[in-house]
Amino acid sequence: MYPHPREQRDSHTHLVPNGIVISGTPNKQAISPQKEDEKHQQKPSSRKVKRSVFLWTNSEVMRWLRKKHIQYYSLYNHVFKDHDISGKSLVRLNHIKLEKMGITDLDHRSDLLEHILRLKLKHELHELKLLQKVEPEHQQ
């Protein structure tokens, strides 16, 4: 008796799952026409869809700060946690707000704001590209 009803043995007694038949030696596989068609169909992109920075939670902001700017994370992670900085509030930060939060070093504030601006621009460009892909479909 076979271990699973959808498994079968070929003429060389190789156990084959789900109806894929192995012909000849175990290294050469003959795939059924249906499986061959499935193999050539386009697969959806495996790239992860970027979540807009404007929708980030405090945890996502903290992850970004830790991953991209470990020196500031070690200095200011408690500030970002205490003020519950989300993505929406992150992109609205300025020198005055950072100073009121307790980041008193002018160079650190300037550098943080530059990184935040780059992040914001990166996400806005991504969203613009998505919009440009959608517009041609609606014009047809």
Side-chain angles (χ1 to χ4, degrees):
M1 186 108 291
Y2 298 119
H4 189 278
R6 294 192 67 182
E7 293 177 339
Q8 57 185 335
R9 293 187 187 269
D10 69 4
S11 60
H12 295 283
T13 66
H14 296 290
L15 191 60
V16 185
N18 299 323
I20 298 175
V21 178
I22 298 175
S23 61
T25 63
N27 292 335
K28 294 182 180 179
Q29 293 185 3
I31 300 174
S32 68
Q34 180 182 5
K35 294 288 182 184
E36 191 67 31
D37 289 342
E38 291 172 8
K39 181 179 166 184
H40 290 294
Q41 289 178 353
Q42 286 189 346
K43 296 180 182 177
S45 175
S46 61
R47 289 179 51 166
K48 189 175 178 181
V49 176
K50 292 182 182 179
R51 182 173 153 98
S52 174
V53 68
F54 304 101
L55 302 176
W56 284 4
T57 63
N58 178 256
S59 298
E60 290 167 305
V61 170
M62 298 303 293
R63 191 176 314 124
W64 167 78
L65 188 62
R66 184 180 63 244
K67 184 178 178 184
K68 300 292 185 180
H69 315 291
I70 191 69
Q71 71 279 11
Y72 294 128
Y73 178 80
S74 60
L75 291 171
Y76 304 119
N77 71 66
H78 65 283
V79 173
F80 281 78
K81 282 181 187 174
D82 292 347
H83 289 85
D84 195 29
I85 301 298
S86 65
K88 187 176 181 179
S89 55
L90 179 72
V91 298
R92 292 180 175 171
L93 290 175
N94 59 36
H95 276 280
I96 295 168
K97 290 177 182 177
L98 287 174
E99 188 172 26
K100 286 182 179 180
M101 288 170 53
I103 302 174
T104 55
D105 187 300
L106 177 62
D107 291 335
H108 289 188
R109 289 196 311 266
S110 296
D111 198 30
L112 271 168
L113 289 172
E114 180 183 335
H115 290 298
I116 292 167
L117 180 59
R118 288 177 188 271
L119 175 69
K120 182 180 174 183
L121 289 172
K122 178 182 173 184
H123 279 266
E124 286 179 346
L125 282 172
H126 176 72
E127 290 179 2
L128 180 62
K129 287 178 184 178
L130 290 176
L131 285 173
Q132 289 173 340
K133 287 181 182 178
V134 171
E135 285 177 0
E137 293 173 6
H138 290 327
Q139 291 176 354
Q140 292 178 353

